[in-house]
Amino acid sequence: MSARAVIEFADVSRSYGSPPTLALRNVDLAIEAGELTAIVGPSGSGKSTMLHLMGTLDRASSGTVRIEGIDVGALGDRQLSALRAHRLGFVFQQFHLADGVDALDNVATGLLYTGVPRSERRKRAADALRSVGLGHRLGHEPRQLSGGERQRVAIARAVVGRPAVLLADEPTGALDTASGAAVIEVLERLNAAGTTVVVITHDRELASRMPRRIGIRDGRIEADRRASAAPATRRRAGAAT
Amino acid sequence: MKAPGRSTLRAPDLVGLGFHGLRAHPVRALLSALGIAIGIAAMIAVLGISTSSQALVREKLDALGTGLLTVTAGDDLFGNATKLDPDAVARVERIDGVQHTSWSAALTDVHVYRNRAVDPGATGALEVLVAGPSLLEATGSTVLAGAWLDAARSQLPVVVLGETTAQRLGITDIGALVRIGEHTFTVGGILERSPLAPELDTAAIVGPEVAEKLLDFDGHPTTIYEQSTEASVPTVRELLPATVDPKAPNEVKVSRPSDALAAANTVDQAFTGLLVGVGSIALLVGGIGVANTMVISVLERRREIGLRRSLGATRGHIRAQFLVEAMLLAAYGGLAGTLLGWLITAIVARGNGWLVEVPPLVLVAGVVVTVVVGAIAGVLPAMRAARTSPTVALAT
Ligand SMILES: Nc1ncnc2c1ncn2[C@@H]1O[C@H](COP(=O)(O)OP(=O)(O)OP(=O)(O)O)[C@@H](O)[C@H]1O
Ligand SMILES: [Mg+2]
């Protein structure tokens, strides 16, 4: 296994109920630091299940999941939570922003469980919002923002703690093409700055822009393609800055 | 790979989360805090009213003193009223610690009337009392108008009226004439209300010499009054029965009028108990209301729970958040209820002319109790919230 792998699946299965239905079957996978990966596949193929396992929101029924080399199956709730608080960021299709709370405080929530004092959280939240191009929307509440802007707020919340890995489950699923493209651009910029990004998408065209594409079907990896070296070089150069 | 930092939630942030949760549904928070508020208000009001009324009694008794004991002749084994020995007064006077003694004798066969024309049956529940010297000092009574019976006036058909007696007979002026038995007496004085010897209020008081001459008084007192320092009351009380009637000390009744006065002015215990009961039930129902609200809140906010878990909240953080929210919810109710209870106390106290006195500890306890109720009510919903699976919560 690669020493640079941030996420590593070894023979990972996840089953539900009894008789067990397998959402993920004996998956082996390594995602390296700095990669930008798309996961594609039909509905019910196990994409979300896989992302939840990568994010330690769920546990494998069998096999080993390693995040930054740590076997998460051996960790307790506090340690997993610490991992999520400091090393992992999540973006969801439905944004999950708090109504009646402005963008700044929504983003600051991303640091709530890291023990950073409130004023510092808000300062960093403002920086994060500027980095996703929403520096002029700090005081806006979610209902005053467009769908694309809301998703960018959610992304800012996910990355305000500078996680090693950003996991996005259909971040463009609820957006029109233009705002979707803007969201993907933000993800690409974050990746260029060194964050490992895994993004689930239904959109084949969007996926085709990604340097690496993993196709899954019925809980199995069906295809795993890396694009030509050129974008990867550009990515490494970005990571170095 | 070095372990990442810890998942930490700072205490002020935890409290902030609790407030945030309540702000999301202010009306619901208000309604579910109401039950608790009513419960606490009832309890505080009961305690407040009772302590306020006692405060007044204490104040009054401080002024009157509580050193007065009265000895009355009880009934003998056959139910006949016994009379006290005329020498008993002198014996009581010799007890250590006794400051004043006096006596009175009720004349059961003689009544007082405004004039000759009044029907002899219409006694107006008034009594004719023969008073020993220094009865005023011993009972702490004072003269409102006219003068008390001195040695000279005790020989004459002069009467001093208690406050109620004067009112019932319609007498306001000194020098008016009344009938006592078959004789005409001149009103020589009117007494003020006598809280520690209320029997004087409804009495027409005459001197012993004139009573013996005109009203067949046999010289036996029916009540002996004894004033001592408050500290020596218990020992004096112990000695009184045997001193007054060495042959049959059991037939003598000793009482402390200040105790009776305190009891009469204290809020009825049964009523207090009822209100405390109602308050506890309201508090219980209020607690259930809080628990109910929290259960609903947990169900509604599964997505929020899932999100917080994805942001790094531990199960303990989720549990603490909902527990704090329940406690704050109950504390709102407790604060409002404490305020309301104090207000009710103040209104009732003003209406009765009492001083408002609610022990501060009761007010603090009111809020503390509700917070505890909230914590208990919040335990199950909070545990439920903590158990919520983040993936299921995020999928809904
Ligand atoms: N909590 C659960 N209990 C039972 N079955 C589940 C649960 N979660 C997922 N599954 C099943 O696991 C399979 C994979 O689900 P998953 O959500 O990973 O699919 P997906 O690829 O994300 O689909 P979509 O594109 O529709 O989001 C599905 O068959 C689903 O029914
Ligand atoms: Mg999915």
Side-chain angles (χ1 to χ4, degrees):
Chain A
M1 293 275 165
S2 164
R4 300 193 64 245
V6 246
I7 300 171
E8 230 178 297
F9 278 32
D11 199 24
V12 170
S13 297
R14 176 67 169 101
S15 59
Y16 287 109
S18 68
T21 56
L22 279 168
L24 222 54
R25 301 163 194 253
N26 309 93
V27 170
D28 288 297
L29 173 71
I31 290 174
E32 291 176 19
E35 276 197 297
L36 172 53
T37 307
I39 297 177
V40 293
S43 187
S45 56
K47 306 183 295 293
S48 295
T49 304
M50 189 181 224
L51 201 81
H52 288 153
L53 287 171
M54 289 177 175
T56 75
L57 288 173
D58 196 6
R59 287 179 188 271
S61 306
S62 67
T64 310
V65 175
R66 287 198 179 81
I67 307 295
E68 297 192 304
I70 302 168
D71 178 359
V72 299
L75 302 183
D77 178 57
R78 286 155 154 276
Q79 290 159 307
L80 290 181
S81 299
L83 205 59
R84 292 195 290 263
H86 295 277
R87 307 301 295 166
L88 301 169
F90 291 88
V91 177
F92 305 98
Q93 183 177 343
Q94 309 95 318
F95 323 134
H96 294 312
L97 298 176
D99 299 321
V101 176
D102 65 22
L104 189 68
D105 280 324
N106 260 299
V107 173
T109 309
L111 290 169
L112 188 59
Y113 301 97
T114 58
V116 174
R118 182 159 184 266
S119 57
E120 176 69 16
R121 290 203 301 268
R122 285 166 65 88
K123 214 177 90 212
R124 288 204 222 164
D127 292 342
L129 276 167
R130 277 184 215 110
S131 77
V132 297
L134 289 177
H136 57 302
R137 292 276 188 268
L138 302 187
H140 284 55
E141 293 184 7
R143 60 185 166 76
Q144 299 170 310
L145 299 171
S146 75
E149 287 173 329
R150 286 183 212 179
Q151 192 58 297
R152 272 144 69 198
V153 172
I155 292 172
R157 181 182 60 196
V159 299
V160 66
R162 302 192 174 283
V165 182
L166 179 63
L167 303 168
D169 193 344
E170 299 196 40
T172 61
L175 306 178
D176 60 68
T177 319
S179 359
V183 164
I184 293 296
E185 249 167 57
V186 169
L187 294 182
E188 283 173 343
R189 264 213 313 281
L190 286 166
N191 175 247
T195 311
T196 307
V197 177
V198 179
V199 51
I200 294 176
T201 179
H202 267 125
D203 188 331
R204 293 253 154 208
E205 198 197 330
L206 265 181
S208 66
R209 288 171 58 179
M210 303 289 169
R212 183 179 178 186
R213 290 181 303 280
I214 297 173
I216 81 170
R217 182 182 293 275
D218 292 335
R220 273 187 247 274
I221 294 186
E222 191 190 46
D224 187 351
R225 289 197 196 88
R226 281 190 168 88
S228 56
T233 312
R234 181 175 57 80
R235 191 177 68 242
R236 298 255 153 71
T241 58
Chain B
M1 170 64 217
K2 225 177 69 166
R6 285 159 18 95
S7 170
T8 330
L9 181 60
R10 299 159 63 89
D13 292 334
L14 176 59
V15 175
L17 278 181
F19 279 116
H20 172 75
L22 294 185
R23 263 204 310 274
H25 292 284
V27 176
R28 186 193 291 173
L30 189 83
L31 288 178
S32 55
L34 199 63
I36 294 233
I38 291 170
I40 282 294
M43 304 245 245
I44 300 251
V46 167
L47 282 165
I49 289 169
S50 134
T51 51
S52 295
S53 70
Q54 278 158 9
L56 180 80
V57 173
R58 254 203 322 280
E59 195 190 21
K60 217 183 207 171
L61 290 182
D62 280 349
L64 294 171
T66 58
L68 178 68
L69 293 178
T70 59
V71 183
T72 48
D75 300 332
D76 67 11
L77 286 176
F78 309 104
N80 300 316
T82 58
K83 290 191 165 184
L84 296 171
D85 179 358
D87 299 333
V89 182
R91 289 201 297 272
V92 168
E93 201 155 11
R94 286 195 293 271
I95 298 178
D96 261 354
V98 170
Q99 292 165 331
H100 299 284
T101 49
S102 186
W103 57 271
S104 71
L107 300 180
T108 44
D109 302 328
V110 188
H111 298 286
V112 59
Y113 306 100
R114 181 71 183 89
N115 50 46
R116 207 186 273 275
V118 178
D119 170 15
T123 61
L126 302 173
E127 222 178 6
V128 177
L129 276 185
V130 182
S134 66
L135 181 68
L136 284 196
E137 290 91 324
T139 59
S141 309
T142 46
V143 176
L144 179 70
W148 180 240
L149 305 165
D150 56 19
R153 277 142 61 98
S154 292
Q155 320 267 350
L156 304 170
V158 171
V159 63
V160 171
L161 303 180
E163 196 203 33
T164 312
T165 312
Q167 272 169 18
R168 296 228 178 112
L169 297 179
I171 288 168
T172 50
D173 300 326
I174 304 306
L177 301 178
V178 295
R179 292 284 291 176
I180 295 179
E182 295 302 312
H183 304 275
T184 300
F185 278 66
T186 311
V187 174
I190 297 175
L191 296 183
E192 285 210 63
R193 180 162 294 278
S194 177
L196 289 181
E199 62 273 22
L200 300 187
D201 296 340
T202 54
I205 303 158
V206 297
E209 290 82 1
V210 73
E212 267 170 44
K213 230 182 317 177
L214 302 177
L215 305 173
D216 297 333
F217 172 48
D218 60 5
H220 288 276
T222 54
T223 304
I224 292 175
Y225 300 89
E226 171 279 316
Q227 183 86 245
S228 67
T229 59
E230 284 173 29
S232 52
V233 164
T235 46
V236 173
R237 188 171 197 157
E238 197 101 319
L239 296 170
L240 272 177
T243 309
V244 171
D245 192 347
K247 287 190 292 277
N250 294 338
E251 285 174 18
V252 171
K253 279 191 284 201
V254 180
S255 61
R256 192 175 186 179
S258 54
D259 288 351
L261 189 67
N265 278 277
T266 309
V267 175
D268 186 3
Q269 290 297 310
F271 185 61
T272 307
L274 181 76
L275 274 180
V276 168
V278 168
S280 325
I281 289 169
L283 204 59
L284 181 72
V285 172
I288 294 170
V290 168
N292 192 32
T293 302
M294 292 312 297
V295 167
I296 293 170
S297 182
V298 169
L299 285 178
E300 278 181 357
R301 286 157 63 193
R302 283 152 54 99
R303 273 126 123 321
E304 179 195 326
I305 295 167
L307 174 78
R308 292 191 182 282
R309 298 278 281 144
S310 82
L311 294 176
T314 63
R315 285 204 190 94
H317 292 152
I318 300 291
R319 192 163 47 231
Q321 176 184 344
F322 282 89
L323 208 57
V324 165
E325 198 174 312
M327 281 158 71
L328 285 176
L329 185 58
Y332 268 151
L335 220 57
T338 303
L339 225 65
L340 190 68
W342 189 88
L343 214 69
I344 293 171
T345 305
I347 290 168
V348 172
R350 278 192 77 119
N352 286 286
W354 304 334
L355 291 171
V356 183
E357 191 186 282
V358 186
L361 204 65
V362 168
L363 297 178
V364 174
V367 178
V368 170
V369 162
T370 52
V371 170
V372 171
V373 166
I376 294 169
V379 165
L380 280 178
M383 282 183 7
R384 219 170 145 163
R387 272 205 312 270
T388 303
S389 146
T391 56
V392 173
L394 286 165
T396 47

